[in-house]
Amino acid sequence: AQSVAQPEDQVNVAEGNPLTVKCTYSVSGNPYLFWYVQYPNRGLQFLLKYITGDNLVKGSYGFEAEFNKSQTSFHLKKPSALVSDSALYFCAVRDNPTGGFKTIFGAGTRLFVKA
Amino acid sequence: DTEVTQTPKHLVMGMTNKKSLKCEQHMGHRAMYWYKQKAKKPPELMFVYSYEKLSINESVPSRFSPECPNSSLLNLHLHALQPEDSALYLCASSQTTGGAGQPQHFGDGTRLSIL
């Protein structure tokens, strides 16, 4: 079965510093990986995805993620954090790589960016 | 603004009431989903509709009854709910359920409180 793990409940970073939110995955077959962000009182918003190709994936709001097959990781990064990036971040994997119905979410990581 | 619209935004109901949650999208998506989300937790899948047919029911209690009247609308009928059903209910859509690389588009949810 597919799964993702987010080892950090919370990440704190100062505004202007680079940020990393960690995610590791366990899949059978090719991974289909996603990052979503949830701001307070809002639904989840899609940030970026890895399907195939370049290991560095660029997404919305200046975020990018690095796919590392040997370490089974898909960490979310941003070169310079903004206070407005403070939110709940979910890593996710698509269950059934042949085209399934389910998205399996990690437990979430709360990002705090301090001014 | 989200492209998936959910109404109402907030709902307070007693355990004997009957109410409905509504979700609408006009992106031409043929897959629609209901999720339940508790505070600071990832969304939990409840139901999946594919081409207006129920594809997945994640063993959800019968007090929750989904309905998909057409390709743009998704309802969740509620009856005799329990206090533990209090949560944020999220609707999402994707182009289809096949195609593992398709992200989901989420509404902002209905915050449900059961008295």
Side-chain angles (χ1 to χ4, degrees):
Chain A
Q2 325 288 56
S3 66
V4 289
Q6 295 180 244
E8 302 156 316
D9 291 335
Q10 184 171 311
V11 169
N12 298 310
V13 65
E15 188 174 34
N17 283 1
L19 70 86
T20 298
V21 183
K22 295 180 180 178
C23 173
T24 58
Y25 65 89
S26 175
V27 303
S28 54
N30 294 322
Y32 292 77
L33 298 163
F34 301 79
W35 276 102
Y36 289 86
V37 60
Q38 186 174 29
Y39 297 100
N41 302 312
R42 301 296 300 275
L44 278 69
Q45 295 179 36
F46 167 70
L47 279 178
L48 49 80
K49 66 180 180 183
Y50 174 83
I51 306 300
T52 186
D54 289 342
N55 290 339
L56 187 64
V57 179
K58 294 191 182 298
S60 306
Y61 311 120
F63 283 93
E64 57 191 27
E66 187 172 9
F67 172 72
N68 187 317
K69 188 173 183 178
S70 62
Q71 296 185 5
T72 62
S73 66
F74 188 55
H75 300 332
L76 182 70
K77 299 176 186 249
K78 188 173 183 181
S80 178
L82 300 172
V83 172
S84 57
D85 293 329
S86 299
L88 185 57
Y89 290 80
F90 291 104
C91 182
V93 64
R94 192 69 185 238
D95 196 15
N96 187 349
T98 59
F101 301 112
K102 299 182 185 181
T103 298
I104 309 300
F105 291 94
T109 298
R110 188 162 295 278
L111 174 67
F112 287 99
V113 181
K114 186 176 181 180
Chain B
D1 291 338
T2 58
E3 296 167 309
V4 176
T5 304
Q6 291 188 243
T7 55
K9 293 189 184 303
H10 302 275
L11 179 62
V12 179
M13 57 187 288
M15 288 190 284
T16 59
N17 292 157
K18 287 185 180 180
K19 295 285 185 184
S20 297
L21 309 184
K22 296 186 184 300
C23 174
E24 188 169 5
Q25 58 86 17
H26 294 289
M27 294 178 282
H29 290 175
R30 302 309 298 273
M32 297 187 77
Y33 310 76
W34 279 115
Y35 288 89
K36 174 184 178 181
Q37 186 182 27
K38 290 284 199 178
K40 301 182 183 180
K41 297 293 185 183
E44 301 170 27
L45 183 65
M46 300 174 71
F47 302 103
V48 180
Y49 274 82
S50 177
Y51 292 89
E52 297 88 71
K53 291 187 178 357
L54 184 63
S55 296
I56 288 184
N57 177 338
E58 289 286 89
S59 301
V60 178
S62 60
R63 56 186 185 268
F64 295 91
S65 175
E67 178 196 19
C68 190
N70 59 55
S71 60
S72 299
L73 293 174
L74 186 66
N75 299 322
L76 186 63
H77 303 297
L78 314 173
H79 174 54
L81 294 193
Q82 302 299 307
E84 61 265 26
D85 297 324
S86 297
L88 181 67
Y89 288 83
L90 294 167
C91 174
S93 70
S94 64
Q95 288 182 329
T96 62
T97 49
Q102 295 172 14
Q104 294 181 337
H105 298 251
F106 285 81
D108 284 339
T110 294
R111 190 162 298 282
L112 177 65
S113 298
I114 307 301
L115 300 178

